[in-house]
Amino acid sequence: MKMWQIKNRPKSLVLSDEELVIAIKKGLLKKDDVLITSELEEEVAIKDTIYSIYLTHEQD
């Protein structure tokens, strides 16, 4: 299972794919929040990932 960290957030905050989607839908994470995972070679903003489909219009 892929686990995600959010850059500039506590290292203890680690989210599963499902938890990441929920956090985005609730507006807890924004389009410019940067995702980090050991499975990617570089950091990536939520707006540049497939998870961007879960952003609300206010987050666009």
Side-chain angles (χ1 to χ4, degrees), residues 1-38:
M1 176 188 322
K2 192 179 301 176
M3 299 303 289
W4 299 96
Q5 273 190 276
I6 312 304
K7 187 174 182 175
N8 299 324
R9 301 279 178 104
K11 296 276 187 216
S12 60
L13 179 64
V14 178
L15 305 171
S16 67
D17 285 326
E18 183 177 308
E19 293 167 327
L20 180 63
V21 169
I22 291 169
I24 294 169
K25 285 182 174 180
K26 288 185 173 184
L28 300 174
L29 296 174
K30 307 295 183 193
K31 66 180 183 174
D32 291 322
D33 282 316
V34 175
L35 300 175
I36 303 168
T37 184
S38 61

Side-chain angles (χ1 to χ4, degrees), residues 32-47:
D32 291 322
D33 282 316
V34 175
L35 300 175
I36 303 168
T37 184
S38 61
E39 296 180 26
L40 294 177
E41 291 183 15
E42 57 187 45
E43 302 167 350
V44 62
I46 291 174
K47 66 183 177 188

